[in-house]
Amino acid sequence: MTIRVIIVDDQAMVRAGFAALLNAQSDIDVVGDAADGAQALEVTGRTHPDVVLMDVRMPVMDGLEAARRLLDPEVPGAHRPKVLMLTTFDVDDYVYEALRAGASGFLLKDAPPADLIAAVRVVAAGEALLAPSVTRRLIADFARNKPARRRDPKLRLNGLTPRETEVLGLIARGLSNQEIAAQLVLAEQTVKTHIGRILGKLDLRDRAQAVVLAYESGLVTPGE
């Protein structure tokens, strides 16, 4: 199955470079591009991509606002692609808010080409791009320095079993399914089942939102 991608960046050379790299892959097809968030909404509505590579800082409408609108659960029947945020800096004020809005992760623009290709495939498959240590550090930083507008998230965790709570904590620390299985001495398929139940019970879109909630609820403390 071909992964349909659009690239959103205010620099034409960046869009062209990413498009050339991704179009060279047999399983990825770049179906459009946009120079700002407003254009991204129009192109997404017209092309229905699987993944949107979204720059954070852009004129007219930045990537954060565009991500919020694309992923707004209140819009019935809307096409909601996976959103992968692109940032120039390893610490960006928008990244944490983008994850809270429903983005599936983020990638530094200067990441190796192989990382960009892998990121598109990971996000398209429904996983969150949270494995790299820089991502874990950034989420911890944002959780520490930018308290969320809380609605007593601890109450949301009460519906989890002790094992599910344990798995959620390990997800928040950046462990993969395989690493969680090894640590808890479980089959990897069992871990996947626990994660599915966690997302369902907490009404979460993916692992990225699970990580955010784990920090906001105090289940995981930044710097642990």
Side-chain angles (χ1 to χ4, degrees):
M1 180 177 175
T2 301
I3 302 168
R4 296 166 57 83
V5 177
I6 70 168
I7 300 167
V8 185
D9 193 286
D10 58 339
Q11 298 182 45
M13 290 185 65
V14 171
R15 298 197 304 272
F18 284 173
L21 174 66
L22 295 174
N23 275 328
Q25 312 307 309
S26 61
D27 60 335
I28 300 175
D29 184 17
V30 177
V31 296
D33 62 44
D36 58 58
Q39 289 183 18
L41 298 180
E42 188 275 326
V43 175
T44 297
R46 177 162 43 84
T47 62
H48 288 189
D50 301 303
V51 177
V52 176
L53 293 180
M54 182 83 75
D55 189 19
V56 171
R57 301 174 184 270
M58 294 180 292
V60 184
M61 182 188 293
D62 64 31
L64 175 59
E65 180 60 26
R68 281 183 180 140
R69 297 193 188 190
L70 283 176
L71 302 173
D72 185 355
E74 300 300 320
V75 181
H79 174 71
R80 295 186 184 88
K82 305 294 185 181
V83 176
L84 179 62
M85 306 301 295
L86 298 169
T87 178
T88 305
F89 309 101
D90 64 350
V91 176
D92 194 303
D93 288 347
Y94 289 125
V95 172
Y96 180 63
E97 288 299 325
L99 291 175
R100 294 187 71 239
S104 294
F106 72 96
L107 191 70
L108 299 181
K109 282 187 178 181
D110 61 357
D115 286 2
L116 175 63
I117 296 166
V120 169
R121 290 171 176 153
V122 166
V123 169
E127 295 292 332
L129 193 69
L130 294 171
S133 60
V134 63
T135 309
R136 293 197 296 269
R137 177 175 60 81
L138 276 172
I139 291 175
D141 287 344
F142 287 122
R144 181 189 304 112
N145 298 324
K146 297 184 178 299
R149 295 178 289 279
R150 296 173 183 256
R151 292 194 297 267
D152 199 3
K154 279 189 177 179
L155 293 177
R156 295 181 64 184
L157 301 185
N158 288 344
L160 300 183
T161 66
R163 177 63 88 188
E164 289 165 352
T165 302
E166 191 173 15
V167 170
L168 176 59
L170 295 176
I171 292 172
R173 292 179 177 88
L175 273 67
S176 66
N177 289 357
Q178 186 175 17
E179 290 168 337
I180 294 172
Q183 182 156 329
L184 299 182
V185 196
L186 297 172
E188 191 170 344
Q189 184 57 48
T190 302
V191 172
K192 291 179 180 179
T193 299
H194 282 312
I195 293 173
R197 288 175 178 165
I198 291 167
L199 298 181
K201 287 182 177 181
L202 300 180
D203 193 24
L204 299 173
R205 178 185 174 93
D206 56 23
R207 293 170 76 111
Q209 290 192 331
V211 170
V212 171
L213 181 62
Y215 277 107
E216 291 180 345
S217 68
L219 177 64
V220 177
T221 303
E224 282 187 42

